[in-house]
Amino acid sequence: MSENKNSSERNTRSSKYHKNKKEKHLGWLVLKLILLFVVVIIVSGVGLFAYYAKDAPSISKAQLQSGGTSSLYTTDGKFLLSLGSEKRIYVDDKHIPQKLKDAVISVEDKRFYSEGFGLDPVRIVGSVLVNARAKGVAAGGSTITQQLVKLSVFSTAMSQRTLKRKAQEAWLSMKVEREFSKKQILEFYINKVYMNYGNYGMGTAADFYYGKPLKDLNLAQTALIAGMPNAPISYDPYVYPKKAKYRRDIVLYSMLKNKKISSAQYNAAVKVPITEGLLSKKDKVNSNLRKVDDPYIKEVINEVKEKGFNPYNDNLKITININQHIQQKLYDLANNGEVPFTNDKMQIGATIIDPNNGHVVAILGGRKLPAVQLGLNRAVQTARSTGSTIKPVLDYAPAIEYLKWSTSHIINDSKYIYPGTKIQLYDWDNVYQGKMSIRRALEQSRNVPAVKTLKKVGLARASLFVRKMGINIPSDSGLSVGIGANASTLQMASAYAAFANNGRYYKPQFVSKIETPDGITRNYDSSSTKVMKESTAYMITDMLKGVLTRGSGTMAKCDNIYEAGKTGTVKYSDEDLVKFPSYAHTPKDSWFIGYTKAYSIGIWTGYDNLKDGTISGIGENSAQLFYKKMMTYLMKNKANSNWKKPSTVVRCRIVNGTERKVAPKHSKNYTWQLFVKGHAPAPDDNDDDVDNIDDSDDKVNTADEDADKDNDVKDDDNQTDDNKGDGDQGKNSNSSSNSDKNNSNATDSSSTTTDTHSDSTSTSSSVNH
């Protein structure tokens, strides 16, 4: 019994021993695998780091000392200007006060002097944990050396924060630490950082904000300067004084914790008003070139930011699409008196586009402007109605595209009440002219035919059509948008460029290329998008030629140039006239959009504020005269070629006042009209009646339509002309009605967008296209 018990105990001890031995063996095996995994990870990490680091860009003392500003170049590779201040005050280490060094190190990198490789592992781990909790980038782990490297050779764009970039940044930081002293690195950093308003370096900022050298700043002022690089725009003491004080006090608290100032100094400094010693804001232009190019530069900066870069910190080489000669001419025309305006307060905005690539070659933000950088750019503001310049884009082009209308399609210019309202629509002359072709309606800028056309197309479908060309029609718009929509000269010039380019649209671009300091080049020239059929673009262009030869835009006509264009005029709203009743018979805004195959120009003229005055006298023609001068200059050395009629368009001689009646061979009572192929009338056994024109010859006989209308032609909108010429003469069509938005059919109550063309054109049997 006892032997069995002893044997059992021996077996139990033996099994435990073997079990423990196996567990220990298994434990060592797991530990070895973990160690092996760690080694593999470390070796792989080192290998990956080495792989990325070998392609790191070079870095030199010149790069470290230079400002972080980006430079602008023209498409032919010539340097244009720098975005930074022309006056940069570089401060040597011996002239940098110790309190500024203490402030920068305390708030940015308190272990700066103890970091042996330009890296701070403690800070890196801390930032990783903070960012993990925040599920984003809430804290940075970069040392001053890393920030210096980043500002010198890398982009600060979020999209560029890759593992490869981080490895190269760390490698270069170690390289900088080996080659330069801590004093030099801090000196480079203090002179490198962006300080807003085009200023680089804290010495430049001290002069800009306080008119003093760094050594003469008090503790509170020094703390503000030291804290601004973190977010120079957000901590602007002029615009955001509360935020600036908050940041300044953080710097002071960091200095207190880092034992660089006493409690007494801290308490005294935080009580100092943020405005103490601050100079008045310096809105200054550094050169005449900068003044001329300012609106263009503003759009370049916006576009670069949209692409994810910081043009002030990223040290970029930016190639822009400006033509400096054209930009200068645009500026001169607006300011030298060559084009007359009503007075000096009358303003202008203009954009010039190359239809063949979408490049914005020049832009005008205003005239007689103060020396302010990045000021109001009237060429891109979208709070003004386009007037009738919207008609070809929103009304007639979709009618040709979707409904296959011809240029001779008959529509009735008769009394019209917006559906669901009591609001009557008037033409600019308060006279209804009865049935007419859409060619004549567009040439003479008649409002009723335009709105009826939009109704026939459908506002939803027309809105989608123009959206492809960068024009957004609000979903709650009414049919009145067909005679005026909110858009900019940039948008309108780009949309008309699609007509000029046979129905292909390019998104307007100010920037064509960005090169980052690490040698990576990004090209931004985009391909075109087909937004309409070639037949639609050609037929609209053909009609818009008539606007210049016998329609509302005769004062814009250039000599011996193949061109097309459209006028637009906006009346004052009832609300406006209550405040300024004397404005009743003058336009509020005047537009002209015109184009050739080489350029598309959008021009707006008017006033910034109601109280500034109204367009009167010669000022009513300023937009057209400005276009004529500018386009004549542009086409001086350009190939002057006409648009070639596509095979999808048929040209017919149509009896005046009819829609599809082909004129007999020897008749003089006709107008050449265009049809979409497959929708043209059959010729009466006469080859000369249909499509017998040489496309290269622009001298095509056309005629205005007779006043007599063919009574057999039915009006598409079932309107009668019983009220022709009837109605309240002089009454505006901008009455307010709540049913406008609800029914999406009425006029906008805030303003009337009607063309006030007053040039009576005579009819003739034959005039040139």
Side-chain angles (χ1 to χ4, degrees):
M1 185 79 178
S2 106
E3 285 183 8
N4 290 337
K5 184 177 181 182
N6 291 337
S7 175
S8 176
E9 288 177 353
R10 282 197 300 270
N11 290 336
T12 301
R13 286 196 300 269
S14 176
S15 63
K16 286 183 178 179
Y17 170 77
H18 288 294
K19 183 179 180 182
N20 291 336
K21 189 175 181 181
K22 286 181 180 179
E23 288 178 351
K24 288 180 180 179
H25 179 73
L26 184 61
W28 277 109
L29 183 61
V30 171
L31 182 61
K32 286 179 181 179
L33 288 174
I34 292 173
L35 290 173
L36 180 61
F37 179 75
V38 170
V39 170
V40 170
I41 291 295
I42 292 173
V43 171
S44 300
V46 171
L48 187 63
F49 178 83
Y51 176 75
Y52 286 151
K54 70 180 177 63
D55 296 324
S58 60
I59 191 167
S60 65
K61 183 177 180 179
Q63 287 174 295
L64 296 171
Q65 284 183 315
S66 67
T69 181
S70 297
S71 298
L72 305 185
Y73 291 80
T74 56
T75 51
D76 57 2
K78 294 180 181 178
F79 172 77
L80 185 65
L81 54 81
S82 167
L83 290 181
S85 171
E86 292 180 358
K87 180 185 178 184
R88 179 172 175 245
I89 301 173
Y90 192 93
V91 185
D92 294 327
D93 174 72
K94 62 183 179 182
H95 295 123
I96 299 175
Q98 187 60 45
K99 64 185 173 187
L100 178 62
K101 294 179 183 180
D102 292 341
V104 170
I105 290 170
S106 296
V107 76
E108 292 291 343
D109 186 7
K110 65 181 181 181
R111 284 180 288 274
F112 173 69
Y113 288 112
S114 61
E115 297 154 1
F117 299 100
L119 307 174
D120 186 350
V122 175
R123 189 169 182 174
I124 292 172
V125 172
S127 69
V128 169
L129 294 175
V130 171
N131 294 334
R133 285 196 297 269
K135 297 181 180 180
V137 181
S142 298
T143 63
I144 285 176
T145 306
Q146 286 178 284
Q147 291 181 53
L148 176 63
V149 168
K150 190 186 301 180
L151 292 172
S152 300
V153 295
F154 291 114
S155 163
T156 60
M158 289 291 293
S159 59
Q160 306 307 309
R161 294 184 184 181
T162 61
L163 183 61
K164 178 180 179 180
R165 225 286 301 277
K166 283 294 184 183
Q168 292 179 346
E169 182 185 297
W171 173 254
L172 290 178
S173 295
M174 290 187 284
K175 184 175 185 293
V176 168
E177 285 280 345
R178 289 196 308 270
E179 296 179 4
F180 301 97
S181 68
K182 292 290 186 179
K183 284 185 177 181
Q184 287 177 300
I185 292 170
L186 190 57
E187 176 190 311
F188 297 153
Y189 176 81
I190 285 173
N191 286 282
K192 168 79 71 173
V193 290
Y194 181 59
M195 302 296 289
N196 207 8
Y197 299 106
N199 297 302
Y200 287 86
M202 296 182 184
T204 312
D207 179 71
F208 181 88
Y209 291 106
Y210 298 108
K212 300 176 182 179
L214 287 170
K215 64 182 180 63
D216 292 339
L217 300 182
N218 62 35
L219 178 58
Q221 294 166 345
T222 299
L224 175 64
I225 294 295
M228 283 188 69
N230 182 261
I233 296 175
S234 296
Y235 299 135
D236 180 344
Y238 297 116
V239 182
Y240 306 110
K242 289 183 179 179
K243 290 182 179 180
K245 184 180 186 305
Y246 170 78
R247 179 62 180 172
R248 181 200 70 180
D249 292 350
I250 285 178
V251 175
L252 290 169
Y253 184 70
S254 298
M255 294 178 75
L256 176 64
K257 285 185 66 178
N258 207 24
K259 300 180 180 179
K260 299 300 180 182
I261 59 173
S262 65
S263 297
Q265 288 175 303
Y266 169 78
N267 291 329
V270 294
K271 293 177 182 177
V272 175
I274 199 68
T275 55
E276 184 175 286
L278 200 63
L279 298 177
S280 59
K281 188 175 178 181
K282 300 177 182 178
D283 288 328
K284 57 184 179 181
V285 175
N286 299 308
S287 66
N288 185 61
L289 178 65
R290 179 64 195 247
K291 185 175 183 179
V292 171
D293 291 353
D294 184 71
Y296 201 103
I297 293 169
K298 182 177 182 180
E299 298 314 308
V300 166
I301 291 170
N302 291 338
E303 197 168 296
V304 170
K305 287 180 177 179
E306 286 174 3
K307 297 181 188 306
F309 297 95
N310 186 327
Y312 292 111
N313 281 342
D314 287 354
N315 204 12
L316 307 170
K317 180 180 179 181
I318 305 169
T319 300
I320 62 177
N321 297 320
I322 195 171
N323 181 311
Q324 191 58 51
H325 297 294
I326 297 176
Q327 181 71 21
Q328 185 69 53
K329 181 65 176 179
L330 202 59
Y331 179 87
D332 291 342
L333 273 182
N335 292 283
N336 64 7
E338 191 174 346
V339 175
F341 291 84
T342 301
N343 54 42
D344 283 350
K345 287 187 176 181
M346 185 176 170
Q347 278 299 340
I348 184 172
T351 303
I352 303 177
I353 301 280
D354 183 339
N356 303 294
N357 52 28
H359 287 184
V360 181
V361 297
I363 196 166
L364 178 67
R367 59 186 292 268
K368 305 294 183 182
L369 300 177
V372 178
Q373 285 192 7
L374 308 182
L376 174 63
N377 189 350
R378 294 162 185 83
V380 300
Q381 66 177 19
T382 56
R384 310 297 287 240
S385 171
T386 62
S388 293
T389 59
I390 199 66
K391 292 175 181 176
V393 184
L394 185 65
D395 307 336
Y396 295 112
I400 295 171
E401 181 83 0
Y402 301 127
L403 306 180
K404 310 302 180 188
W405 282 10
S406 66
T407 59
S408 62
H409 184 89
I410 298 294
I411 201 159
N412 204 357
D413 180 17
S414 59
K415 182 178 179 180
Y416 184 80
I417 306 294
Y418 283 106
T421 77
K422 297 180 180 179
I423 301 172
Q424 183 173 347
L425 173 62
Y426 293 88
D427 285 303
W428 56 266
D429 55 0
N430 292 322
V431 174
Y432 300 116
Q433 294 188 356
K435 295 172 183 176
M436 61 178 63
S437 71
I438 62 170
R439 179 187 289 277
R440 181 175 176 84
L442 185 56
E443 287 176 357
Q444 302 302 319
S445 204
R446 309 302 294 177
N447 291 331
V448 173
V451 170
K452 288 183 177 181
T453 299
L454 178 59
K455 183 175 185 294
K456 204 71 175 176
V457 172
L459 183 54
R461 183 159 57 169
S463 297
L464 289 174
F465 182 82
V466 298
R467 187 183 300 171
K468 294 182 292 184
M469 292 178 277
I471 297 174
N472 295 313
I473 304 298
S475 59
D476 61 349
S477 297
L479 286 174
S480 64
V481 76
I483 53 174
N486 286 349
S488 66
T489 66
L490 176 68
Q491 291 170 304
M492 295 304 293
S494 299
Y496 273 58
F499 295 140
N501 194 31
N502 304 315
R504 303 201 71 88
Y505 171 81
Y506 285 92
K507 181 181 178 181
Q509 294 277 357
F510 292 86
V511 176
S512 62
K513 185 169 62 177
I514 295 178
E515 298 172 67
T516 54
D518 52 351
I520 298 175
T521 299
R522 294 166 179 81
N523 293 297
Y524 293 103
D525 279 344
S526 60
S527 56
S528 64
T529 303
K530 186 177 181 181
V531 294
M532 69 186 83
K533 296 183 179 69
E534 190 176 358
S535 54
T536 301
Y538 182 83
M539 290 169 70
I540 288 291
T541 293
D542 193 70
M543 290 195 290
L544 292 179
K545 286 179 180 179
V547 172
L548 289 153
T549 56
R550 57 181 174 270
S552 59
T554 55
M555 296 196 72
K557 182 74 180 77
C558 302
D559 295 332
N560 304 314
I561 291 177
Y562 296 114
E563 60 185 337
K566 183 69 186 77
T567 56
T569 309
V570 182
K571 286 184 177 180
Y572 288 96
S573 68
D574 288 337
E575 291 80 0
D576 292 338
L577 293 177
V578 168
K579 299 175 185 176
F580 297 91
S582 63
Y583 291 1
H585 302 294
T586 58
K588 180 178 183 179
D589 300 274
S590 182
W591 291 71
F592 190 83
I593 318 293
Y595 58 94
T596 63
K597 291 179 72 174
Y599 296 103
S600 178
I601 306 178
I603 300 167
W604 163 86
T605 58
Y607 290 85
D608 291 338
N609 305 297
L610 280 174
K611 60 182 177 59
D612 291 340
T614 188
I615 301 173
S616 60
I618 193 64
E620 294 189 29
N621 300 311
S622 296
Q624 292 192 51
L625 296 175
F626 195 94
Y627 165 84
K628 181 176 182 178
K629 290 277 187 181
M630 197 66 222
M631 187 61 86
T632 299
Y633 170 83
L634 291 171
M635 296 301 295
K636 188 166 50 177
N637 298 312
K638 278 283 185 179
N640 180 25
S641 59
N642 193 14
W643 289 270
K644 182 177 177 63
K645 181 176 70 62
S647 60
T648 50
V649 173
V650 177
R651 192 191 313 261
C652 302
R653 292 191 307 179
I654 299 298
V655 173
N656 289 332
T658 74
E659 186 171 315
R660 299 177 59 83
K661 187 175 181 180
V662 179
K665 184 174 182 180
H666 300 294
S667 172
K668 293 182 179 180
N669 182 34
Y670 70 88
T671 299
W672 283 104
Q673 301 285 8
L674 302 179
F675 294 79
V676 177
K677 189 173 183 179
H679 299 267
D684 295 334
D685 299 322
N686 187 342
D687 291 338
D688 291 336
D689 296 334
V690 179
D691 213 28
N692 67 335
I693 302 301
D694 179 1
D695 293 330
S696 63
D697 180 14
D698 192 47
K699 295 182 178 179
V700 179
N701 287 332
T702 59
D704 286 337
E705 298 154 35
D706 290 343
D708 296 330
K709 305 296 185 291
D710 187 343
N711 293 326
D712 294 332
V713 179
K714 303 290 184 183
D715 176 65
D716 287 333
D717 289 281
N718 299 318
Q719 298 285 333
T720 65
D721 58 353
D722 295 338
N723 296 305
K724 179 179 176 182
D726 189 40
D728 299 323
Q729 299 296 313
K731 205 174 191 178
N732 289 327
S733 60
N734 53 1
S735 303
S736 177
S737 172
N738 291 331
S739 58
D740 176 25
K741 300 297 183 184
N742 297 331
N743 292 284
S744 294
N745 286 318
T747 56
D748 183 16
S749 62
S750 63
S751 66
T752 301
T753 51
T754 57
D755 198 306
T756 57
H757 161 57
S758 58
D759 176 34
S760 300
T761 54
S762 60
T763 59
S764 59
S765 60
S766 178
V767 295
N768 289 336
H769 254 266

